[in-house]
Amino acid sequence: DQQVKQNSPSLSVQEGRISILNCDYTNSMFDYFLWYKKYPAEGPTFLISISSIKDKNEDGRFTVFLNKSAKHLSLHIVPSQPGDSAVYFCAASMSGGSNYKLTFGKGTLLTVNP
Amino acid sequence: DTEVTQTPKHLVMGMTNKKSLKCEQHMGHRAMYWYKQKAKKPPELMFVYSYEKLSINESVPSRFSPECPNSSLLNLHLHALQPEDSALYLCASSQEQVGYTFGSGTRLTVV
């Protein structure tokens, strides 16, 4: 059972426009969410995170929105740049104990066209 | 130092070989992880070490053997692997939920 879902395998946007990547989750115990950017044959690079006590977190061009009632989060990139082209993974974890397993979505390939 | 360092970056091994992957972090993180990623798939958790003790083994075959010599180091010993074990092996560390940082990975090919 897939607990973190990214239903769009790919997204293409024009440079300068907004990119919106979506993520849904089913496990209500998840209370911390992260977005990672990944290039082929490299490790995931952390972008931005959000705790379940917030509904928005912003860092430069990246903003993550969390809708707990809908179990939905989204990553907004404004303005999009060609260097943003990569696979974006949504991940979730739950607090408690000292281990924080990340459950990943399948990823969305973002292509930003010049 | 805010990095997780993995060596080697690439490894080719035969099915009868024994090799080890190494991971190091100096962020004082108390949890360290091994993930496996196949092409076009998300990372999948293999092992979690917390305070140098193995706390989670996600039913990984015994041909993969993790070791945590100290709080900064994590090894993954490989023996008698199969071609289907070829993948990108990722190490990560975290302090509770924050600071979850991945290394750049070891690209493993089993021939």
PDB file of all heavy atoms in Angstrom, chain B residues 1-7 9 22-27 29 31-34 72 74 90-94 99-105:
ATOM      1  N   ASP B   1      30.696  20.997   9.104  1.00  0.00           N
ATOM      2  CA  ASP B   1      30.557  19.967   8.080  1.00  0.00           C
ATOM      3  C   ASP B   1      29.098  19.519   8.044  1.00  0.00           C
ATOM      4  O   ASP B   1      28.567  19.004   9.016  1.00  0.00           O
ATOM      5  CB  ASP B   1      31.475  18.784   8.419  1.00  0.00           C
ATOM      6  CG  ASP B   1      31.501  17.744   7.304  1.00  0.00           C
ATOM      7  OD1 ASP B   1      30.739  17.902   6.325  1.00  0.00           O
ATOM      8  OD2 ASP B   1      32.261  16.787   7.422  1.00  0.00           O
ATOM      9  N   THR B   2      28.454  19.728   6.916  1.00  0.00           N
ATOM     10  CA  THR B   2      27.033  19.386   6.820  1.00  0.00           C
ATOM     11  C   THR B   2      26.805  18.307   5.774  1.00  0.00           C
ATOM     12  O   THR B   2      25.752  18.238   5.160  1.00  0.00           O
ATOM     13  CB  THR B   2      26.208  20.630   6.461  1.00  0.00           C
ATOM     14  OG1 THR B   2      26.711  21.159   5.231  1.00  0.00           O
ATOM     15  CG2 THR B   2      26.285  21.669   7.559  1.00  0.00           C
ATOM     16  N   GLU B   3      27.808  17.478   5.576  1.00  0.00           N
ATOM     17  CA  GLU B   3      27.703  16.479   4.523  1.00  0.00           C
ATOM     18  C   GLU B   3      27.729  15.058   5.062  1.00  0.00           C
ATOM     19  O   GLU B   3      28.252  14.771   6.135  1.00  0.00           O
ATOM     20  CB  GLU B   3      28.872  16.626   3.545  1.00  0.00           C
ATOM     21  CG  GLU B   3      28.802  17.868   2.681  1.00  0.00           C
ATOM     22  CD  GLU B   3      29.886  17.862   1.619  1.00  0.00           C
ATOM     23  OE1 GLU B   3      30.821  17.050   1.724  1.00  0.00           O
ATOM     24  OE2 GLU B   3      29.792  18.667   0.678  1.00  0.00           O
ATOM     25  N   VAL B   4      27.156  14.184   4.227  1.00  0.00           N
ATOM     26  CA  VAL B   4      27.300  12.746   4.411  1.00  0.00           C
ATOM     27  C   VAL B   4      28.174  12.256   3.258  1.00  0.00           C
ATOM     28  O   VAL B   4      27.839  12.484   2.097  1.00  0.00           O
ATOM     29  CB  VAL B   4      25.935  12.047   4.390  1.00  0.00           C
ATOM     30  CG1 VAL B   4      26.108  10.535   4.432  1.00  0.00           C
ATOM     31  CG2 VAL B   4      25.075  12.515   5.565  1.00  0.00           C
ATOM     32  N   THR B   5      29.278  11.633   3.596  1.00  0.00           N
ATOM     33  CA  THR B   5      30.262  11.220   2.588  1.00  0.00           C
ATOM     34  C   THR B   5      30.208   9.709   2.401  1.00  0.00           C
ATOM     35  O   THR B   5      30.310   8.956   3.373  1.00  0.00           O
ATOM     36  CB  THR B   5      31.679  11.625   3.021  1.00  0.00           C
ATOM     37  OG1 THR B   5      31.710  13.035   3.247  1.00  0.00           O
ATOM     38  CG2 THR B   5      32.687  11.275   1.930  1.00  0.00           C
ATOM     39  N   GLN B   6      30.039   9.291   1.157  1.00  0.00           N
ATOM     40  CA  GLN B   6      29.990   7.870   0.848  1.00  0.00           C
ATOM     41  C   GLN B   6      31.137   7.486  -0.074  1.00  0.00           C
ATOM     42  O   GLN B   6      31.443   8.202  -1.027  1.00  0.00           O
ATOM     43  CB  GLN B   6      28.670   7.508   0.151  1.00  0.00           C
ATOM     44  CG  GLN B   6      27.477   7.557   1.049  1.00  0.00           C
ATOM     45  CD  GLN B   6      26.245   7.005   0.371  1.00  0.00           C
ATOM     46  OE1 GLN B   6      25.278   7.726   0.135  1.00  0.00           O
ATOM     47  NE2 GLN B   6      26.259   5.712   0.070  1.00  0.00           N
ATOM     48  N   THR B   7      31.735   6.343   0.211  1.00  0.00           N
ATOM     49  CA  THR B   7      32.769   5.788  -0.663  1.00  0.00           C
ATOM     50  C   THR B   7      32.560   4.287  -0.823  1.00  0.00           C
ATOM     51  O   THR B   7      32.048   3.630   0.105  1.00  0.00           O
ATOM     52  CB  THR B   7      34.183   6.024  -0.079  1.00  0.00           C
ATOM     53  OG1 THR B   7      34.238   5.483   1.244  1.00  0.00           O
ATOM     54  CG2 THR B   7      34.532   7.491  -0.062  1.00  0.00           C
ATOM     55  N   LYS B   9      32.295   5.807  -4.912  1.00  0.00           N
ATOM     56  CA  LYS B   9      31.172   6.349  -5.701  1.00  0.00           C
ATOM     57  C   LYS B   9      30.635   5.298  -6.669  1.00  0.00           C
ATOM     58  O   LYS B   9      29.445   5.299  -6.984  1.00  0.00           O
ATOM     59  CB  LYS B   9      31.612   7.591  -6.466  1.00  0.00           C
ATOM     60  CG  LYS B   9      31.908   8.786  -5.577  1.00  0.00           C
ATOM     61  CD  LYS B   9      31.959  10.064  -6.365  1.00  0.00           C
ATOM     62  CE  LYS B   9      32.254  11.251  -5.491  1.00  0.00           C
ATOM     63  NZ  LYS B   9      31.371  11.370  -4.336  1.00  0.00           N
ATOM     64  N   LYS B  22      31.078   2.421   2.493  1.00  0.00           N
ATOM     65  CA  LYS B  22      31.354   3.200   3.698  1.00  0.00           C
ATOM     66  C   LYS B  22      30.606   4.525   3.668  1.00  0.00           C
ATOM     67  O   LYS B  22      30.393   5.111   2.599  1.00  0.00           O
ATOM     68  CB  LYS B  22      32.855   3.453   3.840  1.00  0.00           C
ATOM     69  CG  LYS B  22      33.664   2.172   4.018  1.00  0.00           C
ATOM     70  CD  LYS B  22      35.109   2.445   4.301  1.00  0.00           C
ATOM     71  CE  LYS B  22      35.900   1.154   4.394  1.00  0.00           C
ATOM     72  NZ  LYS B  22      35.401   0.253   5.455  1.00  0.00           N
ATOM     73  N   CYS B  23      30.244   4.972   4.865  1.00  0.00           N
ATOM     74  CA  CYS B  23      29.493   6.220   5.011  1.00  0.00           C
ATOM     75  C   CYS B  23      30.009   6.935   6.251  1.00  0.00           C
ATOM     76  O   CYS B  23      30.235   6.304   7.285  1.00  0.00           O
ATOM     77  CB  CYS B  23      28.006   5.911   5.146  1.00  0.00           C
ATOM     78  SG  CYS B  23      26.976   7.340   5.494  1.00  0.00           S
ATOM     79  N   GLU B  24      30.149   8.256   6.150  1.00  0.00           N
ATOM     80  CA  GLU B  24      30.672   9.024   7.274  1.00  0.00           C
ATOM     81  C   GLU B  24      29.943  10.355   7.393  1.00  0.00           C
ATOM     82  O   GLU B  24      29.657  10.995   6.378  1.00  0.00           O
ATOM     83  CB  GLU B  24      32.172   9.262   7.068  1.00  0.00           C
ATOM     84  CG  GLU B  24      32.905   9.856   8.239  1.00  0.00           C
ATOM     85  CD  GLU B  24      34.415   9.809   8.070  1.00  0.00           C
ATOM     86  OE1 GLU B  24      34.901   9.350   7.017  1.00  0.00           O
ATOM     87  OE2 GLU B  24      35.117  10.229   9.010  1.00  0.00           O
ATOM     88  N   GLN B  25      29.623  10.737   8.621  1.00  0.00           N
ATOM     89  CA  GLN B  25      29.042  12.060   8.865  1.00  0.00           C
ATOM     90  C   GLN B  25      29.608  12.614  10.162  1.00  0.00           C
ATOM     91  O   GLN B  25      29.864  11.869  11.095  1.00  0.00           O
ATOM     92  CB  GLN B  25      27.497  11.990   8.909  1.00  0.00           C
ATOM     93  CG  GLN B  25      26.911  11.062   9.954  1.00  0.00           C
ATOM     94  CD  GLN B  25      26.649  11.677  11.305  1.00  0.00           C
ATOM     95  OE1 GLN B  25      26.675  12.915  11.468  1.00  0.00           O
ATOM     96  NE2 GLN B  25      26.375  10.853  12.307  1.00  0.00           N
ATOM     97  N   HIS B  26      29.770  13.946  10.180  1.00  0.00           N
ATOM     98  CA  HIS B  26      30.330  14.609  11.367  1.00  0.00           C
ATOM     99  C   HIS B  26      29.396  15.708  11.834  1.00  0.00           C
ATOM    100  O   HIS B  26      29.843  16.759  12.302  1.00  0.00           O
ATOM    101  CB  HIS B  26      31.730  15.150  11.057  1.00  0.00           C
ATOM    102  CG  HIS B  26      32.713  14.065  10.747  1.00  0.00           C
ATOM    103  ND1 HIS B  26      33.233  13.230  11.712  1.00  0.00           N
ATOM    104  CD2 HIS B  26      33.248  13.654   9.573  1.00  0.00           C
ATOM    105  CE1 HIS B  26      34.056  12.365  11.149  1.00  0.00           C
ATOM    106  NE2 HIS B  26      34.080  12.597   9.846  1.00  0.00           N
ATOM    107  N   MET B  27      28.098  15.461  11.691  1.00  0.00           N
ATOM    108  CA  MET B  27      27.097  16.439  12.121  1.00  0.00           C
ATOM    109  C   MET B  27      26.556  16.109  13.505  1.00  0.00           C
ATOM    110  O   MET B  27      25.666  16.802  13.992  1.00  0.00           O
ATOM    111  CB  MET B  27      25.952  16.486  11.101  1.00  0.00           C
ATOM    112  CG  MET B  27      26.395  17.018   9.740  1.00  0.00           C
ATOM    113  SD  MET B  27      25.080  17.018   8.515  1.00  0.00           S
ATOM    114  CE  MET B  27      25.126  15.317   7.982  1.00  0.00           C
ATOM    115  N   HIS B  29      24.787  13.592  14.174  1.00  0.00           N
ATOM    116  CA  HIS B  29      23.500  12.920  14.046  1.00  0.00           C
ATOM    117  C   HIS B  29      23.549  11.544  14.695  1.00  0.00           C
ATOM    118  O   HIS B  29      24.539  10.811  14.562  1.00  0.00           O
ATOM    119  CB  HIS B  29      23.130  12.761  12.562  1.00  0.00           C
ATOM    120  CG  HIS B  29      22.751  14.046  11.925  1.00  0.00           C
ATOM    121  ND1 HIS B  29      22.520  14.148  10.560  1.00  0.00           N
ATOM    122  CD2 HIS B  29      22.533  15.288  12.420  1.00  0.00           C
ATOM    123  CE1 HIS B  29      22.180  15.395  10.267  1.00  0.00           C
ATOM    124  NE2 HIS B  29      22.190  16.100  11.380  1.00  0.00           N
ATOM    125  N   ALA B  31      21.117   9.108  14.280  1.00  0.00           N
ATOM    126  CA  ALA B  31      20.496   8.075  13.463  1.00  0.00           C
ATOM    127  C   ALA B  31      21.165   8.045  12.098  1.00  0.00           C
ATOM    128  O   ALA B  31      21.410   9.092  11.503  1.00  0.00           O
ATOM    129  CB  ALA B  31      18.997   8.342  13.291  1.00  0.00           C
ATOM    130  N   MET B  32      21.463   6.852  11.643  1.00  0.00           N
ATOM    131  CA  MET B  32      22.049   6.680  10.315  1.00  0.00           C
ATOM    132  C   MET B  32      21.309   5.579   9.587  1.00  0.00           C
ATOM    133  O   MET B  32      20.796   4.632  10.213  1.00  0.00           O
ATOM    134  CB  MET B  32      23.548   6.374  10.411  1.00  0.00           C
ATOM    135  CG  MET B  32      24.352   7.526  10.999  1.00  0.00           C
ATOM    136  SD  MET B  32      26.138   7.272  10.974  1.00  0.00           S
ATOM    137  CE  MET B  32      26.517   7.573   9.236  1.00  0.00           C
ATOM    138  N   TYR B  33      21.250   5.706   8.272  1.00  0.00           N
ATOM    139  CA  TYR B  33      20.360   4.869   7.479  1.00  0.00           C
ATOM    140  C   TYR B  33      21.059   4.359   6.223  1.00  0.00           C
ATOM    141  O   TYR B  33      21.894   5.063   5.641  1.00  0.00           O
ATOM    142  CB  TYR B  33      19.142   5.689   7.011  1.00  0.00           C
ATOM    143  CG  TYR B  33      18.445   6.501   8.076  1.00  0.00           C
ATOM    144  CD1 TYR B  33      18.950   7.732   8.484  1.00  0.00           C
ATOM    145  CD2 TYR B  33      17.263   6.057   8.662  1.00  0.00           C
ATOM    146  CE1 TYR B  33      18.308   8.490   9.451  1.00  0.00           C
ATOM    147  CE2 TYR B  33      16.612   6.811   9.627  1.00  0.00           C
ATOM    148  CZ  TYR B  33      17.142   8.028  10.016  1.00  0.00           C
ATOM    149  OH  TYR B  33      16.503   8.778  10.975  1.00  0.00           O
ATOM    150  N   TRP B  34      20.643   3.199   5.782  1.00  0.00           N
ATOM    151  CA  TRP B  34      20.963   2.726   4.433  1.00  0.00           C
ATOM    152  C   TRP B  34      19.657   2.614   3.645  1.00  0.00           C
ATOM    153  O   TRP B  34      18.695   2.003   4.126  1.00  0.00           O
ATOM    154  CB  TRP B  34      21.650   1.366   4.441  1.00  0.00           C
ATOM    155  CG  TRP B  34      23.102   1.394   4.770  1.00  0.00           C
ATOM    156  CD1 TRP B  34      23.712   0.870   5.873  1.00  0.00           C
ATOM    157  CD2 TRP B  34      24.166   1.956   3.981  1.00  0.00           C
ATOM    158  NE1 TRP B  34      25.074   1.082   5.832  1.00  0.00           N
ATOM    159  CE2 TRP B  34      25.370   1.752   4.678  1.00  0.00           C
ATOM    160  CE3 TRP B  34      24.215   2.631   2.752  1.00  0.00           C
ATOM    161  CZ2 TRP B  34      26.614   2.179   4.200  1.00  0.00           C
ATOM    162  CZ3 TRP B  34      25.444   3.060   2.271  1.00  0.00           C
ATOM    163  CH2 TRP B  34      26.630   2.833   2.982  1.00  0.00           C
ATOM    164  N   SER B  72      29.909   8.109  13.972  1.00  0.00           N
ATOM    165  CA  SER B  72      30.117   8.854  12.728  1.00  0.00           C
ATOM    166  C   SER B  72      30.200   7.963  11.499  1.00  0.00           C
ATOM    167  O   SER B  72      30.176   8.469  10.379  1.00  0.00           O
ATOM    168  CB  SER B  72      31.428   9.666  12.796  1.00  0.00           C
ATOM    169  OG  SER B  72      31.393  10.593  13.850  1.00  0.00           O
ATOM    170  N   LEU B  74      29.228   4.374   9.218  1.00  0.00           N
ATOM    171  CA  LEU B  74      28.271   3.302   8.925  1.00  0.00           C
ATOM    172  C   LEU B  74      28.805   2.541   7.725  1.00  0.00           C
ATOM    173  O   LEU B  74      29.186   3.145   6.722  1.00  0.00           O
ATOM    174  CB  LEU B  74      26.901   3.894   8.602  1.00  0.00           C
ATOM    175  CG  LEU B  74      25.749   2.923   8.409  1.00  0.00           C
ATOM    176  CD1 LEU B  74      25.432   2.175   9.700  1.00  0.00           C
ATOM    177  CD2 LEU B  74      24.506   3.654   7.909  1.00  0.00           C
ATOM    178  N   LEU B  90      22.263   4.425  -0.912  1.00  0.00           N
ATOM    179  CA  LEU B  90      22.312   5.742  -0.298  1.00  0.00           C
ATOM    180  C   LEU B  90      22.422   5.624   1.206  1.00  0.00           C
ATOM    181  O   LEU B  90      21.686   4.855   1.836  1.00  0.00           O
ATOM    182  CB  LEU B  90      21.048   6.536  -0.636  1.00  0.00           C
ATOM    183  CG  LEU B  90      20.843   6.889  -2.105  1.00  0.00           C
ATOM    184  CD1 LEU B  90      19.395   7.271  -2.356  1.00  0.00           C
ATOM    185  CD2 LEU B  90      21.771   8.023  -2.501  1.00  0.00           C
ATOM    186  N   CYS B  91      23.319   6.405   1.764  1.00  0.00           N
ATOM    187  CA  CYS B  91      23.427   6.536   3.213  1.00  0.00           C
ATOM    188  C   CYS B  91      22.799   7.871   3.608  1.00  0.00           C
ATOM    189  O   CYS B  91      22.853   8.849   2.834  1.00  0.00           O
ATOM    190  CB  CYS B  91      24.892   6.488   3.614  1.00  0.00           C
ATOM    191  SG  CYS B  91      25.214   6.769   5.368  1.00  0.00           S
ATOM    192  N   ALA B  92      22.196   7.924   4.764  1.00  0.00           N
ATOM    193  CA  ALA B  92      21.628   9.171   5.262  1.00  0.00           C
ATOM    194  C   ALA B  92      21.824   9.237   6.763  1.00  0.00           C
ATOM    195  O   ALA B  92      22.067   8.222   7.432  1.00  0.00           O
ATOM    196  CB  ALA B  92      20.140   9.279   4.917  1.00  0.00           C
ATOM    197  N   SER B  93      21.738  10.458   7.290  1.00  0.00           N
ATOM    198  CA  SER B  93      21.782  10.629   8.735  1.00  0.00           C
ATOM    199  C   SER B  93      20.783  11.692   9.131  1.00  0.00           C
ATOM    200  O   SER B  93      20.389  12.533   8.312  1.00  0.00           O
ATOM    201  CB  SER B  93      23.188  10.999   9.213  1.00  0.00           C
ATOM    202  OG  SER B  93      23.530  12.313   8.815  1.00  0.00           O
ATOM    203  N   SER B  94      20.370  11.657  10.393  1.00  0.00           N
ATOM    204  CA  SER B  94      19.443  12.678  10.875  1.00  0.00           C
ATOM    205  C   SER B  94      19.562  12.790  12.386  1.00  0.00           C
ATOM    206  O   SER B  94      20.065  11.888  13.071  1.00  0.00           O
ATOM    207  CB  SER B  94      17.997  12.348  10.484  1.00  0.00           C
ATOM    208  OG  SER B  94      17.481  11.315  11.294  1.00  0.00           O
ATOM    209  N   GLY B  99      17.125  17.764   9.671  1.00  0.00           N
ATOM    210  CA  GLY B  99      18.484  17.575   9.179  1.00  0.00           C
ATOM    211  C   GLY B  99      18.703  16.264   8.462  1.00  0.00           C
ATOM    212  O   GLY B  99      19.832  15.772   8.390  1.00  0.00           O
ATOM    213  N   TYR B 100      17.677  15.687   7.936  1.00  0.00           N
ATOM    214  CA  TYR B 100      17.780  14.383   7.248  1.00  0.00           C
ATOM    215  C   TYR B 100      18.575  14.615   5.970  1.00  0.00           C
ATOM    216  O   TYR B 100      18.070  15.155   4.998  1.00  0.00           O
ATOM    217  CB  TYR B 100      16.378  13.885   6.935  1.00  0.00           C
ATOM    218  CG  TYR B 100      16.185  12.385   6.988  1.00  0.00           C
ATOM    219  CD1 TYR B 100      15.395  11.794   7.962  1.00  0.00           C
ATOM    220  CD2 TYR B 100      16.773  11.559   6.035  1.00  0.00           C
ATOM    221  CE1 TYR B 100      15.189  10.422   8.009  1.00  0.00           C
ATOM    222  CE2 TYR B 100      16.569  10.187   6.071  1.00  0.00           C
ATOM    223  CZ  TYR B 100      15.773   9.622   7.059  1.00  0.00           C
ATOM    224  OH  TYR B 100      15.573   8.263   7.089  1.00  0.00           O
ATOM    225  N   THR B 101      19.814  14.122   5.960  1.00  0.00           N
ATOM    226  CA  THR B 101      20.759  14.419   4.882  1.00  0.00           C
ATOM    227  C   THR B 101      21.223  13.135   4.231  1.00  0.00           C
ATOM    228  O   THR B 101      21.600  12.184   4.926  1.00  0.00           O
ATOM    229  CB  THR B 101      21.975  15.181   5.439  1.00  0.00           C
ATOM    230  OG1 THR B 101      21.523  16.350   6.132  1.00  0.00           O
ATOM    231  CG2 THR B 101      22.925  15.599   4.325  1.00  0.00           C
ATOM    232  N   PHE B 102      21.217  13.137   2.922  1.00  0.00           N
ATOM    233  CA  PHE B 102      21.678  11.976   2.159  1.00  0.00           C
ATOM    234  C   PHE B 102      23.080  12.210   1.610  1.00  0.00           C
ATOM    235  O   PHE B 102      23.453  13.338   1.278  1.00  0.00           O
ATOM    236  CB  PHE B 102      20.744  11.709   0.978  1.00  0.00           C
ATOM    237  CG  PHE B 102      19.452  11.059   1.363  1.00  0.00           C
ATOM    238  CD1 PHE B 102      18.379  11.814   1.791  1.00  0.00           C
ATOM    239  CD2 PHE B 102      19.310   9.676   1.301  1.00  0.00           C
ATOM    240  CE1 PHE B 102      17.181  11.217   2.152  1.00  0.00           C
ATOM    241  CE2 PHE B 102      18.122   9.061   1.659  1.00  0.00           C
ATOM    242  CZ  PHE B 102      17.053   9.841   2.089  1.00  0.00           C
ATOM    243  N   GLY B 103      23.818  11.127   1.495  1.00  0.00           N
ATOM    244  CA  GLY B 103      25.062  11.146   0.749  1.00  0.00           C
ATOM    245  C   GLY B 103      24.781  11.064  -0.740  1.00  0.00           C
ATOM    246  O   GLY B 103      23.632  10.920  -1.160  1.00  0.00           O
ATOM    247  N   SER B 104      25.833  11.141  -1.532  1.00  0.00           N
ATOM    248  CA  SER B 104      25.664  11.125  -2.989  1.00  0.00           C
ATOM    249  C   SER B 104      25.523   9.706  -3.528  1.00  0.00           C
ATOM    250  O   SER B 104      25.225   9.519  -4.710  1.00  0.00           O
ATOM    251  CB  SER B 104      26.829  11.837  -3.666  1.00  0.00           C
ATOM    252  OG  SER B 104      28.046  11.241  -3.283  1.00  0.00           O
ATOM    253  N   GLY B 105      25.727   8.712  -2.680  1.00  0.00           N
ATOM    254  CA  GLY B 105      25.444   7.338  -3.077  1.00  0.00           C
ATOM    255  C   GLY B 105      26.622   6.581  -3.642  1.00  0.00           C
ATOM    256  O   GLY B 105      27.616   7.164  -4.076  1.00  0.00           O
TER     257      GLY B 105
END
